Amino acid sequence: VDIQPIFVSHDRWWNQIEHSSWERGTFRIFNKYITPGNTTVVDFGTWIGPTLLYHGQFSKRSYGIEADPVAFATVRHNVRLNENATSWGGRTSVDSGCVSRPEDVGILTMRAGKAPGASMSGLGKVAQDRGARSMTWKVRCYTLQDIFENYWRIPKPYEDVFV
């Protein structure tokens, strides 16, 4: 896997990626349904970027969106690092925010379970929720159509788009 990882706190985790011991089923699905050079991939909740950076290597274009500000800072750095260090990095991008139902568009409050950046954040109750002690932040939410058409400019019809 041609990925340049970042942040010491995730070294052990990136080692699992390198040795194919993390979410093997997810990567098998990517390999089965993404046609190299032809499929556009959309990655919601891209966390620090393992799946975004993986399918970014062979998709036509890969887009990620992440609402957790700590995870977003990490994945944005990882995308930028790969942008200059790999032949495929320019086909991969990430934005901050979340996708929601039309009635929830706008600024919403998200919360971290264990801690921001730990992959268990969300709207409402989250895994490892600490109640009033949970860290919260505001995030802008968009409709799927808005993010496809106005931000990523994914052309209709949405053929060969893997979400």
Side-chain angles (χ1 to χ4, degrees), residues 50-119:
T51 54
L52 180 68
L53 296 175
Y54 179 77
H55 54 66
Q57 294 177 74
F58 56 92
S59 65
K60 177 180 178 181
R61 187 82 171 85
S62 288
Y63 299 94
I65 189 165
E66 177 55 53
D68 181 316
V70 174
F72 174 71
T74 306
V75 68
R76 180 178 58 190
H77 185 82
N78 286 335
V79 166
R80 287 179 179 165
L81 185 65
N82 282 279
E83 199 171 65
N84 299 320
T86 66
S87 61
W88 52 267
R91 297 190 312 260
T92 304
S93 64
V94 65
D95 292 289
S96 178
C98 73
V99 176
S100 67
R101 303 174 305 178
E103 59 268 25
D104 292 329
V105 167
I107 306 293
L108 297 177
T109 301
M110 291 199 70
R111 65 188 313 112
K114 187 175 182 181
S119 84

Side-chain angles (χ1 to χ4, degrees), residues 111 129-136:
R111 65 188 313 112
D129 200 320
R130 297 168 36 169
R133 295 180 301 143
S134 289
M135 189 110 158
T136 63

Side-chain angles (χ1 to χ4, degrees), residues 22-60:
W22 181 80
E23 293 203 18
R24 289 183 183 122
T26 299
F27 294 104
R28 279 194 295 271
I29 289 169
F30 289 153
N31 293 337
K32 182 176 181 177
Y33 293 104
I34 297 172
T35 305
N38 199 42
T39 304
T40 297
V41 182
V42 175
D43 194 336
F44 298 122
T46 194
W47 187 41
I48 63 171
T51 54
L52 180 68
L53 296 175
Y54 179 77
H55 54 66
Q57 294 177 74
F58 56 92
S59 65
K60 177 180 178 181

